């Protein structure tokens, strides 16, 4: 089947496991992660606070109920098959995927478990708690090479948006407001200009010291930055947050 794939891994998870012998702390963190696989019935209201009673409410509930999630160790995966409905429905599916990924990235970061990951559109197979296929590998590789906490949209994911929404100016505005082009650092020392989900958490934007906020989250739950690579990830994440904040400030001025 062909559909949307979100593939994420937790940065610093090995450090968390190594530095935490307290079973109570381990259980608390593991319980938090486990809830991602089985979200609450009203989860859709958290993604779209103004949707209750709106025409799109049933559609969003339907889309979320058909999304499959898998959590194992430091990895989080979700998939969604869009089906063969109208382009308007396809656009709605696409934005639900973006909203789920945005919520996941920000919720996990705020909890002190930064993620890096990718959203991809491609072929995959899913059966129970097993997922396979070229699309899964592509999403895994796209996210795994990042050297910061962010979520990139692969070329196939971006092409999918143009395929279903190129005609829709309102959809383009929503897409541009939630994503941005950024030269993301890779673990091999190079950078790749790609489309990223914007980080728009109010707590980071309102923090008096963005650097302190980012490092505190990388250190939370007993984690440490024991390698040069880990330090680079924290520094690059701070730089990306500042970029998103500056970008929104610039757009806000243009809006006025």
């Amino acid at each position: 089947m062909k559909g949307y794939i979100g593939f994420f891994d937790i940065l610093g998870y090995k450090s968390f496991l190594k530095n935490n012998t307290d079973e109570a702390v381990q259980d608390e963190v593991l319980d938090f992660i486990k809830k991602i696989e089985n979200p609450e019935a009203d989860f859709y209201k958290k993604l779209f606070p103004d949707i209750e009673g709106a025409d799109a409410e049933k559609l969003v509930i339907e889309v979320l109920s058909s999304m499959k999630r898998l959590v194992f160790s430091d990895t989080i995966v979700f998939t969604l098959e869009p089906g063969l409905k109208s382009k308007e429905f396809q656009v709605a599916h696409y934005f639900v995927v973006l909203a789920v990924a945005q919520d996941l990235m920000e919720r996990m970061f705020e909890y002190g478990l930064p993620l890096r990951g990718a959203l991809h559109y491609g072929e995959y197979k899913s059966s129970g708690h097993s997922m396979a296929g070229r699309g899964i590998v592509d999403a895994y590789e796209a996210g795994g090479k990042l050297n910061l906490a962010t979520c990139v949209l692969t070329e196939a994911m971006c092409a999918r948006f143009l395929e279903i929404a190129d005609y829709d100016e309102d959809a383009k505005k929503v897409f541009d407001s939630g994503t941005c082009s950024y030269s993301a650092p890779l673990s091999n020392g190079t950078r790749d200009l790609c489309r990223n989900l914007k980080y728009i958490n109010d707590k980071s934007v309102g923090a008096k010291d963005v650097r302190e906020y980012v490092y505190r989250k990388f250190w939370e739950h007993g984690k440490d930055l024991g390698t040069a690579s880990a330090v680079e990830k924290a520094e690059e994440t701070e730089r990306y947050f500042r970029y998103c904040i500056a970008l929104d400030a610039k757009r806000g001025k243009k809006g006025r």
Side-chain angles (χ1 to χ4, degrees):
M1 66 184 74
K2 194 169 188 177
Y4 301 110
I5 304 161
F7 201 107
F8 308 85
D9 69 274
I10 302 172
L11 297 176
Y13 193 69
K14 290 181 181 178
S15 176
F16 160 72
L17 293 176
K18 182 179 67 176
N19 295 341
N20 276 289
T21 57
D22 187 335
E23 290 188 5
V25 174
Q26 291 181 4
D27 289 344
E28 179 186 339
V29 171
L30 294 175
D31 286 345
F32 180 84
I33 297 173
K34 187 177 180 180
K35 289 179 181 178
I36 293 170
E37 196 168 4
N38 298 291
E40 306 91 337
D42 63 347
F43 174 61
Y44 73 98
K45 296 179 184 179
K46 296 178 181 179
L47 294 181
F48 305 100
D50 301 323
I51 201 171
E52 190 170 8
D55 294 338
E57 184 177 11
K58 289 184 179 180
L59 170 61
V60 171
I61 294 174
E62 176 187 337
V63 173
L64 288 174
S65 65
S66 61
M67 182 174 283
K68 296 182 178 179
R69 299 170 176 84
L70 176 62
V71 179
F72 54 97
S73 185
D74 64 342
T75 301
I76 301 169
V77 186
F78 68 75
T79 60
L80 175 67
E81 186 181 4
L84 300 174
K85 296 184 179 181
S86 67
K87 283 198 171 182
E88 288 77 11
F89 276 84
Q90 298 287 0
V91 171
H93 277 71
Y94 193 96
F95 283 134
V96 169
V97 171
L98 293 191
V100 169
Q102 184 79 274
D103 173 78
L104 178 63
M105 291 291 297
E106 295 183 359
R107 190 151 43 101
M108 290 290 285
F109 195 95
E110 181 59 29
Y111 189 71
L113 298 174
L115 298 177
R116 65 177 174 185
L119 292 176
H120 182 60
Y121 183 74
E123 297 284 348
Y124 69 93
K125 292 182 179 181
S126 177
S127 177
H129 275 68
S130 297
M131 294 180 182
R134 178 57 186 268
I136 299 292
V137 175
D138 289 342
Y140 162 75
E141 291 181 344
K145 64 183 181 181
L146 297 168
N147 204 37
L148 78 165
T150 190
C151 176
V152 298
L153 280 64
T154 65
E155 290 184 6
M157 188 70 179
C158 293
R160 172 65 176 173
F161 178 75
L162 295 178
E163 175 188 344
I164 62 176
D166 192 37
Y167 67 95
D168 191 333
E169 292 300 321
D170 289 336
K172 286 183 178 180
K173 290 179 181 178
V174 175
F175 182 77
D176 287 339
S177 68
T179 67
C180 64
S181 292
Y182 184 72
S183 185
L186 308 182
S187 55
N188 64 4
T190 65
R191 304 186 82 90
D192 183 24
L193 183 62
C194 54
R195 181 66 62 167
N196 290 246
L197 284 181
K198 279 169 58 180
Y199 194 87
I200 53 177
N201 191 311
D202 291 339
K203 293 183 179 179
S204 70
V205 174
K208 294 181 180 179
D209 188 337
V210 176
R211 184 177 182 82
E212 185 274 336
Y213 172 80
V214 170
Y215 272 80
R216 177 159 44 88
K217 297 306 177 182
F218 270 82
W219 280 322
E220 206 153 333
H221 308 297
K223 301 190 305 295
D224 59 43
L225 299 174
T227 65
S229 175
V231 174
E232 287 176 7
K233 287 181 177 66
E235 291 179 345
E236 290 289 0
T237 299
E238 178 203 349
R239 185 174 289 113
Y240 179 59
F241 282 13
R242 291 187 184 278
Y243 177 82
C244 292
I245 293 169
L247 192 62
D248 278 352
K250 182 178 180 181
R251 286 179 176 170
K253 289 180 181 179
K254 286 183 179 180
R256 292 195 295 269

